[in-house]
Amino acid sequence: MNSRLEENELGAESPENPLEGRTNEGDPYEAADEPLSDGDESSSSRLANSQRSKIPNGTSFQGYAKVELSAEEDSSSKIPELCLPPSPDATASNPDDSPSIAGSILSSPGRSDSISQASLSRLSPNQSLRPFDRRFQSYLSPSPLNSPRALSPAFLSPHSRQSSISSQALLDENAADTSSVPWEAVRWTKLKKINGQAYSEAGKRNFGRPTCVVVSASIALGTSKGCILIFDYHQTLRSIIGPGTKAVESGSITSIAFSADHMVIAGGHQNGNIFTWEVSRSARPFLAIGPIEGPQPEARKMDGHTPDAAILHLGFLGTRHTALVSSDNRGMAFSHLATRGLGAVGRAVKSTRILGRYPNDVAPSTGKARKPSAILALSPLPLGNAEQSTDSMGIVAMLTPYLLVIVSTTPVAQTQFKVARPKDLVAHGALSGCLAWFPAVKLKAHESISGEISKSKLVYCWSNVLTILDISELEPSEPVDSVQPPNLEFRPRNRWKADEAIVAVQWLSRSVLGVLTITQRLIILEDISMRNTESFDLIQRHIFHHDLFSRQLNSLVEQLDEEDVSLHGVVADAFYMSFRVYKNRIFLLGFNDISVGTLSNWADRLLALMANGDFIGAIELATSYYNGEANKLTVGLPENDTLRHSIVEEKLFEIMSASLKFVFSKFRKPDTDQIGEASLRELAKACFSACLSIGNYDYLLEDVFEWYEENGFGGIFLETLEHHVQQQQIKSIPPTVMKSLFNYYTANHMEGRLEEMICRMETSSMDIDQITTLCKRHLLYDALIYVWNQALGDYITPLIDLLTLIISPNSSNEDKNATISASNIVALKIFPYLSYTLTGRVYPTGENIPDGKSAKAKAEIYYFLFTGKTISWPKQGGKPFLTQRPPAPEPSFPYLRLILELDSSSFLSALNEAFEDSFLNDSPERMVNGGSKHDIGEEQVFGLSVNRQYVVTILLEIMKNSNFLPEDTIYLDMFIARNLAKYHQFLWLTGTSLHQVLVGLCNYPGKEIADDCQLSVEYLLSVYHPSDIDALIPQFTKAGFFRVLKSIFRTDRQYSKLLETYFEDPDDQDAVFQCISDCLRTGSGLSERQIRDFKYIIMKHARDLADINTIKTAETIETHSPSLHSGILSALVEDPYAQFIYLQTILGLPVIRSSNVKRSTESRENGFMEQYVRLMCEYDGDHVAEYVSFLQYGDVRLEEVLPALEGGGIVDAAVVLLARDGKIQGAMNRLTKHLGTLEAALIGLLGSAESASDAFNIEEAAESILESLDKYTKVGIWLCQGQTRTMTTAQNGKAKQSVVSRAKEDPRLLPEEKLWLDLIDVAVRVTKDVSAMLQRSSTLLAYTDQNEPKFVTLLRFLVQQIFTALLTATSTSAGRTRHVNISFLKIMRAFLVHASLSSPALSDLRAVLASIFSAYTYEESLLSLANRLLEKDLFLHVEEVSKQRQRGWRPKGNVCEACKRRVWGPGAGGKIWEKWEEKREMDAHRKRLKIEEAKSGMDRGKGRAQIARQDEALADKIIQTPKHPDDTEDDEGAQEAVEEDLGPLIIFSCKHVFHQRCIEGLHSRAEMFAVADGKEFRCFLCK
C-alpha cells in the first residue's frame, strides 16, 4: 500500500476550473445516499447541469435556472430588481461649452443671432486683457505656457519655447464595497447521521460524549468512555474501537491520530495509556504504551508518562505504525518506538523524553523547583507528495508558554531549532498556543518550474501573534556521509497580529490559513500577503473546548504584574481537538453536533450574485477576479495571470451575454417589470470595464452595442463610451458606431463633447470622407482640424476652410458694420490653431508634434501667411483661394491682411507665442542648402526661410501703410516693443521706427490698455536708449507712464522729480515711503543740494504724505530726518487728529516705555510732548495718566499742560505731574478739591432725585460718580504712599516750608502724615455728607444685605481702603533704616481732634470708626490665615527634607572623584572604621553631657557653651591620639608611607563623592568653583 498521501489529499490547489462540471465518481463527499453536503447541490454541479442557452453571437452559456426566461413562464414571476453597487467608472465631467479664454469658440454655437462687426471685436479676448502675457488654449488642453506678467524688463530671462504637456487629471474612481454579500464565505453542513449516532442519548449512554475528532480517509471521534468511533464519508459507522478491552478502563479519549496510510489509529487516554489499533482489525490493540511505574527519579528505569497524566497530543512519525510522539498535561513529551515482534505483547516499546521535566524535579544548581510549564501544542511534520530528507528524521514541533522547540527524534533526539516567545504580545492577554504544519509538495506546472518542490512551513501562534516559519535543507559545503542527517535552515518569514488571542490554526490550502480566536471568530488569512480576506463569527456553532492547562500553569498566571505587560492574566481553553481541516474542508466538533464547512470559491460567489439578480455585481466581481484584484488565493484562483485569465475569461463573456439577454428581454414583454435607465447605465459600465480588462474591443463595440442600439438605448452606450474615449482607453471605433455617435450627440446639442471624443481617437482607423463630411455639416471645426492634421498631415486646408467662413458676398470694405453669422465666430478658431501649430503642439489636444512633422507644419503656415501672393491649394488640381470678389484685384499678402482685419490683437498674440519658438532662429540646421532644396516643395523652402526680422518687416509694411485704425496698430507697437527686448539679437529697427513706436504707445486709444502700453514701453527702453529722452518725458507724463518716469529719473539721479512722480502716481503711493528711505538713508550718495531739494519736496507735499499714511510718515521721518517734524505738524494744523496720530507714532506709550528711548532736545524745545499730552486729553483721555507716569522731570512744562488736563477733567494726570515737580501738597490740594467737586455733584444729584421721574438714570449717574470717587481716592493713596517711600530728611525740611495747611493747629505732624490726614479728612467728610443726604432721600435706597444702603457701603469702603493702606505704610516704615517714621497713632489722634471740631456728636463718627476698626479686623484675619498656611506648608517641607536627610544619599562610585582614592567599600582601609568609632564616641559623650545638663538644671545658654567646650576638648583629644601608619611594600623594597588625613567625605545630590580637602583644593584653584558663604561647595563635575 502506498504510504504517501496523494496530492489532492493534502488540499493542494487544483488548476481545474471550478465552474467546469464535475461528476460524483470517486468523490466520497458526493457519492453517498446522504452526502456530507446534506443534499445541498454544489455550485459546480449546478452550473454544469444547468440548461444551455444560445446567444446571438453563436457562443453558448451554461445558463442559470433562476435567470432563464422560458416562453411558458408565468408573467407574474419576476426576477428581483438588479442590485447596482456604485460603478467604478463614473463619467468624468464634460468640458465647458463656453468659449475659451484665447478664442477657442464653440464649433456649434447654440444661437444664430446676427452679430455686428463691433461686437465681434469685443468678442476678441485680447481687448485690455494683456494679450501678450497670455497663452492660447483650447477646452481640451489648457496651455502650460502661462508666463506671469513681468514686473519690469530688468527681470527678463532668455526665452525658449516650453513644451506643452497635456494631461487630464483623472478622478480616483473606486467602487464602494457593498455592506453585505449574498454568499456565505463558508458553507456549513451538519453531519446529521453522525450526529444522530454519536450525540443521541443511546450513543452517549453506550460510548460517552465525543471529546475529540480527527479526519483522514475516515472521520474518527474519541469519546469520554474510552471508545473511538470511525465513520466513513457516507456517515456510516464502520468501526467501534475499545469496548471489551483495557482501553475502556483507561478513562476518556483525550487525543487521537491517524497514521500516514490511514490504516492505524492511536488514542491517548486520561490515565496516561496509549493504544494503537488497526482500523480493519480492531478487536485488540496493535500496540499498548502504558505509564511508568516508579514515581521517584531514583526508582525510574525507563522514560515514559507518569500515571494519571492525560495524553493531550498524539501523532505518528513518518510512515511507520510503531513510531509515535505524545505529550501530557504535566508538560512532558516523549517519542515512542516499538521493536519488531509478534503482536502487541511481543513488541517492546522504548520511550525517550524529548521535552519537559518529571514532577518534583528541581534545578541542580539552585535546588529550587522549576517554573511551571505545559506543552500547549505538539505536531509531527506530516508527509507530502514529494520525498524529503526530513521524512526519516521524525521532526516534531512543540510549543510551550516560553519556547517553540523543533526536535528530530531519529536516529537520536536532537534539538533543531528553538525560539522564545515574542515580546510584542497583547498586554495582559489570554495565554494560548497552537501550531500547524504544511509539508513540502510538488508545485503545479503553472506555479513554478516543472518539478520544483515547495518548502515545508510551520505556522505557530502565541497569544495574538502569528508567525510563519519556512524550513529548508542547506546544501552541504563538502561531501558528507549519506547516513548523516541533513542540516536544516529555519527562517521566520511573516508575522501577523490578531486583535485577540488565537486558540487554533490550520492550513486550508498551501496559501490560505484558517485562524480561530478565543471569541470563536474564524479568520481566513492569505499566507504571502498576510491579508485578512474573510472574518465571521462561529459562536453559534458551540465549538467544543476544554480547560486543559490552567491547573498546570496556575502559579504562573497568578504572578500577574500590572507593570509587566508581557505576562498573561488567564489561560485560554483548548480548541485544537475540535478544529480540524482535511482536503480544504473544515471540521468542527461542537458540544451538540459535528459539522463540516467548505470555503466558497469564485464560482460559488458568482453564482450567488446571479441567483440574487445582481448581474452587474457578478460582472464586476468576475472582472476583479480576472485582474487579480480580489482575494484570488482565498477563492481558489491561481496566482499565475495567464492561467487565471484562461479560467475566468470565458465565464466572464458568458455572464455578460446572459445578463444582456435577460435585461433586454424584459423590454420585449410589456407586462413585466422594466429595468431602469440607471441600471442599464451601470450594466454598460460593467461591460466596458470587463471588455477593457480582457482587451476584447470587438465584442464590446459590436455585440454589446448591438444589444443597446436595437432596444433603443444606444445613447446610454455612447455616453459610457465617451468616458473611456476621454481617458484614451478606447482610441478607435467602427464606422457604424461613429455614425451613431454623430447622430446622437448632434441631436442632443452636445457637439462640444463629440469634438473632444474625436480629438482623443486615432485617425488611422477613421473613414476620412465620412468624418470630414460630418464635421463640416455640424461645424465641428476643432475635430475637422484634428483630422486634417493628423490623418493627412495637411495644415493649410484648415486655414482655408476657416477663412472661407468670413468671406461672404458682403465682405468688402464698403460695409464694415454689416452683420455676420455664427460661422464668422467659428472662424476665430484660427488664432488658437495658429498658436498651437506654430509652437509645435497638436491642436486641440496640446500634445507635442514630432520634430520632423513640426517643422513641416510651421513651414506650411508661414508660407501661407507671408508668401505675399494668392496660392492654389491643394497643389494638384486646386483652385486659387481668393479673398476679394472679382473683378477686384487681390492685394499683397491677402491672407495675412484678411486675418489682421478679422482680429489683429488675437493674431499678434498668437504670433507672440510663435516668436518664442526656436524655429524662427537663423540657425544653419533649418536653412535649405544645396542638395536638400530639390527634395521639398515650394512651401517648405519658403517657410524655412522665414525669420523674426522678416515677419516684423512685413507687419510694419502692411499695418503702418494701410487703413488700419489706431485700435489695431497699437497692438503692433506693443508686439514690436516686447519682442525687440526679448530677441534683440534677431531684430533690427531704425531709430525713427522705434521713436514712432514709443509715440504710438503713448497715444493709446483707450484707458483699458494703458497698463499694457506702459509695460511695453518699459520693455523697449530696456534695450533702446533714445538720445532725446527728455523730449519724450512730456509724452510719458501725459500718458501717465509713472513707472517709466521713475525709472528715467532714478537713472538720471533726479531725485526731486522722482519723489514728485511718486506723489503723482495714484496707483503706487505707498512706495513713496520706500523712496524717501532709500534717498535719505546713510550712504545713499545724494549731495547736500540734492538732499535739500528732496526735503523741500517732502515739505511741499507734507499734507499729501500724511494723507497717504500718517503712521508710516511719522516712522519714516523719525528714522531719516527728525528735523522735518515741525514742518509736517504745521502742515497738519487743520487736522488735530492727524497730529495726534503722528505724535503718537513717535512719542506714544509703546515708544516712551522702551528703556532705550532718546528724548531729543528738539522734542522738548518744540513742545512735542506737551502738544501730544494736550491732544491726548482730547482723543485718548483714559491713558493720559499712564503716559505722564513714564515722563521724566523736565519733559513737559506744567503750566503748558495743566489747563488742558483740568479742562478735560483728568485730575489724576495733573496730580502725577505736580508730584513729579515736587509740589506734593499742591497735588493733594488739587485732588481734595476735585473730590469736593465730586461730592457736591453727588449731593446735588441726590437732592434732585425726589423730583426726578427717571430714578434709574439718576442711580446710574450716581454710581458713575462713586466710581470716580473710588478712582481718585486710589490716586490719593498712591500719592501718600509715594511720598512716604521717597521723601528724604532734606526733602522733609523743604516740604515743611511749603505745607501751610493746619501747620499751626498741629506742628508735631510730619508733612507725610499731614498728606494722609488731608486724604482721610476729605474721605470722611464725603462719606458723612453723602450718608446724611441718603438718609433724607427715599428714592435711591437700593438695599443690599440687612437693608444697608448700597451707596453708603461703597462710601465707607473708600475710608476703609485709606486706613488699610495707612496700616500697611505704618507697619513697614518702622523696619526701614530711614529718618522718617510715620505714626498711625499721631495721624489717628489728629483726625479725631479735627472730627471733634467739625462734628461734636459722636454718633456722626460711629460709622466711620466702624470702617476703621473693620480694616484692623480684616488685616488681622488675613495675617492669621496666611500664618497658618505658612506654618502647615513649612512643617510638611521640613518633615520631607528631614526624612530625605536621614535616608542619606548613596554615591555613584566608591572612589573620590578628585584623587581617585577608594573612600568606602572593600579595599578602603581601616581609617573609615576608626573615624566611625570616633564619631560614635563623640555622639555618646555629647548625649551624656545633655543628660547631666537636664539633671543639674543649669542655664540653657551656659550649658550649651559648656557642652561645646567639652566637645572641642574631646575632639582635640581624639585628634591627638597617636596613629600607626600602614606599611606598604613594593617591588623595590619596603617603604613606610603615612596615609594622609583628607578629612570627612562630602557627597552631593548628583551622587558624586569627594574628600573635603580635595574639594577645597579644587575650589581654591578655580574661580568658577568659588566657595560660598560658610562651608558651601559645588560639584566641579556638574557645572
Side-chain angles (χ1 to χ4, degrees), residues 455-471:
K455 297 178 181 179
S456 300
K457 50 188 176 182
L458 172 72
V459 57
Y460 61 93
C461 308
W462 262 303
S463 189
N464 68 316
V465 178
L466 179 146
T467 309
I468 296 178
L469 187 73
D470 281 341
I471 296 93

Side-chain angles (χ1 to χ4, degrees), residues 1097-1113:
I1097 299 299
I1098 294 176
M1099 298 308 302
K1100 179 181 176 182
H1101 295 276
R1103 182 59 188 266
D1104 299 333
L1105 191 64
D1107 289 343
I1108 295 172
N1109 193 318
T1110 306
I1111 295 176
K1112 284 189 176 181
T1113 301

Side-chain angles (χ1 to χ4, degrees), residues 1284-1296:
T1284 303
R1285 287 194 300 265
T1286 58
M1287 181 72 70
T1288 61
T1289 304
Q1291 292 173 333
N1292 289 340
K1294 181 179 179 180
K1296 288 177 183 179

Side-chain angles (χ1 to χ4, degrees), residues 799-807 830 864 881 895 898-899:
L799 291 173
I800 295 175
D801 290 341
L802 291 171
L803 292 177
T804 302
L805 295 174
I806 62 175
I807 300 175
I830 194 172
F864 179 79
F881 177 56
Y895 314 125
L898 187 61
I899 295 174

Side-chain angles (χ1 to χ4, degrees), residues 351-455:
S351 299
T352 303
R353 180 168 53 89
I354 57 176
L355 190 66
R357 300 287 178 179
Y358 286 101
N360 303 322
D361 192 8
V362 297
S365 58
T366 61
K368 297 181 180 179
R370 298 180 183 274
K371 292 191 298 183
S373 183
I375 298 179
L376 304 176
L378 179 145
S379 176
L381 175 61
L383 301 178
N385 59 3
E387 187 173 352
Q388 295 288 300
S389 58
T390 56
D391 294 346
S392 59
M393 295 177 63
I395 300 295
V396 181
M398 294 169 286
L399 194 75
T400 72
Y402 317 104
L403 292 172
L404 167 69
V405 181
I406 300 178
V407 301
S408 59
T409 58
T410 305
V412 293
Q414 181 180 0
T415 300
Q416 297 288 339
F417 176 77
K418 63 180 178 180
V419 63
R421 69 176 181 181
K423 297 181 179 179
D424 52 349
L425 301 179
V426 62
H428 304 299
L431 173 61
S432 64
C434 53
L435 55 81
W437 286 98
F438 195 90
V441 295
K442 292 180 180 179
L443 299 179
K444 301 294 183 179
H446 65 273
E447 295 178 319
S448 65
I449 302 173
S450 178
E452 186 175 354
I453 299 174
S454 67
K455 297 178 181 179

